Amino acid sequence: MPRYTVHVRGEWLAVPCRSCTNTIRWLGKEAVRRYMKNKPDNGGFASVEEVKFYVRRCKGLGLLDLDDTVEDALEDNEFVEVVIEGDIMSPDFIPSQPEGVHLYSKYREPEQYISLDGNSLTTEDLVNLGKGLYKIKLTPEAETKVNQSREVIERIIKEQTIVYGITTGFGKFARTVIPNSKLRELQVNLVRSHSAGVGKPLSPERSRMLLALRINVLAKGYSGISLETLQQVIEAFNASCLPYIPEKGTVGASGDLAPLSHLALGLIGEGKMWSPKSGWADAKYVLEAHGLRPITLKPKEGLALINGTQMITSLGCEAVERAGAIARQADIIAALTLEVLKGTTRAFDTDIHAVRPHRGQAEVAFRFRSLLDSDHHPSEIAESHRFCDRVQDAYTMRCCPQQGYMLVFTLAGFVGRSFCIAAKMVKWGKMVFAERAETISGGNFHGEYPAKALDYLAIGVHELAAISERRIERLCNPSLSELPAFLVTEGGLNSGFMIAHCTAAALVSENKALCHPSSVDSLSTSAATEDHVSMGGWAARKALRVIEHVEQVLAIELLAACQGIEFLRPLKTTTPLEKVYDLVRSVVRPWMKDRFMAPDIEAAHRLLMEQKVSVWEVAEPYIEKYRREHIPESRPISPTAFSLGSLEMNKGVGHDHGHQDEL
């Protein structure tokens, strides 16, 4: 018999449907009837017949025709919402879908698996798991370690040994011994009481990353969790059943207790949960709709699920990947702006950067040469000012390799290596060592070093936006370029990029405040047991916000640079930069007169975020071809693959275009 889960005024109701000829109207009325039955005042209604409502799917929020049959309109176990006319939505109502619902309607269950052993997961793997590209399974070795660890816990319980968090309370209650009959209740109470976060829920991608990273660290076999429970966690991940995890509430000390507790709460069938099939609903209904059952916690398992820094680390891994991606694309956008402003490439000469042998600086300079070398890629724009009388360019053009670009390379390399390690680290206070048959309390749950690393990353990546905003000013200001004011014809009638530049300035200014390091702060918690904390959760969240602002500022510069090219036509730039221009013009047409600009900025932002058709994907083949031809034995350098130190540089060839020799 088909059954549907129906949301009415904040409550979820299971409605069985005995006849396939029943209509959506019948389903709505039956849900309202059950809702009224549960209310002392009938929910304020005299009868079901007087209630006017409409019905929509939770997945995609599509309205349903009340006269359609449930058989034709719905799948078995589908989640729907009855919206009563005249209701004002409560401010604490959890919507059926997270922000960006159009992105999740395209979700397809993956077929490929990643095998986790606790040691081999990379930041790239984790981000791909967050995107829903893979399912998870354990390696046989991981299963063995998990079983061995659990045997130690079972022995402690059998022998009634007093061990923190297993047979005692937590924090200040560490000396309170709990009888064996209440050890399971102890774990459930732990999860419930620690689920005290606030704020918006993490997005599905970030919830998947958090859950995947938790599975990875549990797979190492130091937590004492049972293999049965861990397999249930994996099944929830593979079904994309994601608990409601508020983004705020962790101080990053005894792990990310609040967010991880909300994660565990959903897994035990309490609180809210989201899946592409259900939208937001009560966790028990979401699990049931996917053929899963809530976890029944055994002794120590609540602690195993919530004690760690996986929120800091998972968000940090996303920050590392996005910082690396935008740093690469920032080089291309800056090169395009330099070309539009008729700058020189002499500042990127190999000898200059060999004198200051920083590998990241040299790589950025190389990218500029590979995109702008006019002998390799003839440029009519470059040729038009080869013998101009200018001497040098502004710092935000000629010092790109030395300014924010080099800094981001350095920091992304350091932070990237840190988070590759962090993704594999054990982060519990109470660790189970099966080979020693004992448990030991320590401090691996503390988030101090990932918090510091994320603060460094935010400071470094911010420079990309600060420098970009100054170049946008040069593109828009006719006294600093040979272009029309604000990059538009009929200025005055049209405002062009005037306010787009203001938006960039606003984002840069906001970043300056966000770059204040959170990890220098601490507040004592847990009755002074946790007397120095990391504030790593805020470090991770604000690093991601800084990176998003950087992406948006560079999207504005990309649009402005492409608009500048319109005023230099029919002259053409280099082949790779023309390809970048064509990519932008495939989603944003030239700015002939004023129009609604926000969608254009969003479209350009997506070009920087996409993996298959990004600005980097268009330009990279030309960069690597240039590398093979000019430095055959070299290999590309990614922001997570280099370190400080000397570098033997090979000279590239080709004529540098631009200004007179500097005096």
Side-chain angles (χ1 to χ4, degrees):
M1 178 171 55
R3 196 200 73 156
Y4 304 97
T5 305
V6 187
H7 184 262
V8 183
R9 284 185 168 177
E11 292 193 11
W12 290 95
L13 304 160
V15 180
C17 183
R18 292 182 175 83
S19 173
C20 60
T21 60
N22 285 336
T23 64
I24 297 297
R25 180 178 281 103
W26 170 87
L27 180 64
K29 285 185 175 182
E30 181 63 16
V32 171
R33 186 185 68 77
R34 290 170 181 250
Y35 167 79
M36 290 171 59
K37 186 178 178 181
N38 292 337
K39 299 295 179 183
D41 62 348
N42 287 334
F45 302 114
S47 70
V48 172
E49 299 303 322
E50 77 168 39
V51 181
K52 295 182 179 180
F53 59 83
Y54 60 90
V55 182
R56 64 186 183 189
R57 283 188 173 88
C58 288
K59 180 182 179 180
L61 304 182
L63 287 176
L64 297 170
D65 190 321
L66 297 179
D67 294 323
D68 283 349
T69 64
V70 292
E71 182 183 47
D72 291 337
L74 300 174
E75 299 177 4
D76 188 18
N77 269 332
E78 190 156 352
F79 287 65
V80 296
E81 186 169 29
V82 172
V83 182
I84 297 171
E85 287 187 8
D87 274 2
I88 298 174
M89 188 178 293
S90 168
D92 60 355
F93 171 70
I94 300 172
S96 296
Q97 293 280 14
E99 294 177 7
V101 60
H102 61 284
L103 301 175
Y104 309 116
S105 61
K106 301 176 183 178
Y107 175 81
R108 296 291 180 271
E109 188 172 312
E111 297 180 357
Q112 292 182 295
Y113 285 81
I114 283 182
S115 296
L116 297 185
D117 58 7
N119 298 308
S120 54
L121 187 71
T122 67
T123 56
E124 184 180 5
D125 290 337
L126 186 61
V127 170
N128 285 332
L129 285 166
K131 292 175 180 175
L133 302 182
Y134 299 98
K135 293 183 178 180
I136 285 173
K137 62 181 178 181
L138 296 179
T139 64
E141 294 79 11
E143 291 182 353
T144 299
K145 290 179 179 178
V146 169
N147 279 327
Q148 290 172 343
S149 173
R150 185 63 199 176
E151 288 171 3
V152 176
I153 301 300
E154 297 295 342
R155 190 178 306 118
I156 288 170
I157 297 165
K158 183 178 180 181
E159 296 174 357
Q160 298 186 349
T161 308
I162 298 176
V163 178
Y164 173 79
I166 302 174
T167 57
T168 75
F170 307 95
K172 198 70 174 177
F173 299 118
R175 296 186 181 183
T176 302
V177 179
I178 309 298
N180 275 19
S181 61
K182 293 191 174 183
L183 293 185
R184 290 175 183 265
E185 183 182 353
L186 171 71
Q187 299 301 312
V188 174
N189 287 346
L190 173 71
V191 170
R192 287 171 176 163
S193 65
H194 285 46
S195 297
V198 297
K200 290 183 178 180
L202 296 180
S203 67
E205 289 89 346
R206 290 174 183 173
S207 297
R208 277 196 202 99
M209 289 174 64
L210 179 59
L211 183 52
L213 194 56
R214 195 65 196 157
I215 292 167
N216 185 64
V217 76
L218 291 169
K220 296 178 78 69
Y222 292 103
S223 72
I225 198 169
S226 68
L227 184 59
E228 176 192 8
T229 297
L230 183 52
Q231 291 291 5
Q232 283 185 267
V233 177
I234 292 171
E235 288 170 0
F237 177 89
N238 289 343
S240 200
C241 293
L242 307 171
Y244 185 94
I245 306 167
E247 63 180 5
K248 300 176 184 178
T250 176
V251 295
S254 187
D256 294 316
L257 291 174
L260 288 173
S261 295
H262 281 276
L263 182 73
L265 190 72
L267 296 173
I268 66 173
E270 299 184 17
K272 302 294 181 184
M273 184 175 270
W274 180 90
S275 80
K277 178 179 181 179
S278 67
W280 287 114
D282 287 353
K284 61 181 179 181
Y285 290 129
V286 178
L287 292 170
E288 186 177 325
H290 291 82
L292 304 176
R293 55 189 173 83
I295 290 171
T296 301
L297 294 175
K298 304 177 183 67
K300 175 64 166 74
E301 291 192 328
L303 187 62
L305 287 171
I306 75 169
N307 199 202
T309 58
Q310 277 68 55
M311 178 167 164
I312 301 173
T313 307
S314 60
L315 297 187
C317 287
E318 180 188 346
V320 167
E321 290 294 314
R322 286 175 66 175
I326 197 59
R328 290 191 297 269
Q329 296 180 105
D331 294 342
I332 300 163
I333 296 168
L336 186 60
T337 295
L338 185 140
E339 182 81 335
V340 171
L341 293 174
K342 298 183 178 179
T344 178
T345 60
R346 291 181 66 83
F348 312 116
D349 185 279
T350 52
D351 285 342
I352 291 175
H353 301 282
V355 171
R356 189 181 185 184
H358 189 293
R359 203 174 180 196
Q361 175 180 327
E363 174 66 11
V364 173
F366 170 82
R367 287 181 187 168
F368 274 82
R369 291 198 304 277
S370 70
L371 295 168
L372 295 168
D373 184 339
S374 58
D375 283 352
H376 193 78
H377 303 298
S379 166
E380 295 172 352
I381 294 175
E383 192 62 32
S384 72
H385 65 94
R386 183 184 292 278
F387 302 107
C388 67
D389 59 0
R390 281 186 290 160
V391 174
Q392 56 184 219
D393 295 321
Y395 285 1
T396 52
M397 295 165 67
R398 63 177 162 131
C399 298
C400 285
Q402 295 90 345
Q403 289 178 325
Y405 297 85
M406 185 188 77
L407 186 59
V408 170
F409 261 83
T410 304
L411 291 181
F414 160 65
V415 178
R417 285 189 295 273
S418 297
F419 277 89
C420 280
I421 296 169
K424 303 167 188 175
M425 280 184 59
V426 178
K427 300 169 185 176
W428 289 289
K430 175 63 67 176
M431 293 175 58
V432 181
F433 293 93
E435 66 277 8
R436 294 170 58 173
E438 64 178 309
T439 64
I440 304 175
S441 290
N444 280 355
F445 50 55
H446 206 285
E448 185 75 11
Y449 91 82
K452 284 282 189 288
L454 286 163
D455 282 337
Y456 297 157
L457 182 63
I459 292 168
V461 77
H462 157 71
E463 289 301 301
L464 296 180
I467 296 166
S468 174
E469 183 274 328
R470 288 292 80 206
R471 288 195 300 263
I472 297 170
E473 160 75 3
R474 304 193 79 81
L475 288 164
C476 291
N477 188 338
S479 67
L480 301 175
S481 71
E482 299 174 14
L483 302 169
F486 304 112
L487 301 169
V488 72
T489 56
E490 294 189 82
L493 176 63
N494 296 298
S495 297
F497 279 69
M498 180 187 295
I499 303 305
H501 174 229
C502 289
T503 298
L507 294 172
V508 169
S509 180
E510 189 171 328
N511 273 1
K512 291 174 183 177
L514 290 170
C515 283
H516 176 78
S518 63
S519 59
V520 300
D521 188 25
S522 176
L523 283 171
S524 178
T525 60
S526 192
T529 302
E530 301 167 5
D531 56 346
H532 187 274
V533 302
S534 72
M535 300 300 177
W538 174 226
R541 289 192 295 113
K542 71 183 182 64
L544 281 168
R545 193 183 300 181
V546 167
I547 292 167
E548 182 180 37
H549 291 168
V550 171
E551 293 164 348
Q552 291 164 336
V553 172
L554 282 160
I556 293 170
E557 184 187 355
L558 178 61
L559 290 177
C562 288
Q563 181 65 14
I565 285 181
E566 306 299 338
F567 298 102
L568 302 180
R569 293 301 192 207
L571 300 179
K572 288 186 174 291
T573 181
T574 65
T575 302
L577 294 182
E578 284 289 342
K579 294 294 183 182
V580 171
Y581 169 87
D582 291 341
L583 175 64
V584 174
R585 287 291 171 251
S586 71
V587 296
V588 177
R589 68 184 188 276
W591 193 274
M592 294 297 111
K593 60 180 181 179
D594 283 352
R595 64 173 186 265
F596 184 19
M597 180 170 270
D600 291 350
I601 297 173
E602 178 57 30
H605 186 198
R606 283 198 299 272
L607 287 182
L608 301 178
M609 298 283 288
E610 292 290 339
Q611 286 196 321
K612 293 183 179 179
V613 206
S614 68
V615 168
W616 175 252
E617 294 300 321
V618 168
E620 184 189 24
Y622 295 93
I623 295 172
E624 294 312 315
K625 182 174 184 290
Y626 189 88
R627 191 189 306 276
R628 290 192 299 272
E629 293 177 358
H630 292 82
I631 316 177
E633 69 277 19
S634 73
R635 57 185 175 81
I637 303 170
S638 73
T640 55
F642 63 86
S643 60
L644 287 167
S646 61
L647 176 67
E648 188 79 26
M649 290 299 300
N650 292 299
K651 283 193 178 184
V653 298
H655 182 81
D656 290 325
H657 71 265
H659 313 328
Q660 299 286 334
D661 288 340
E662 297 182 23
L663 299 178

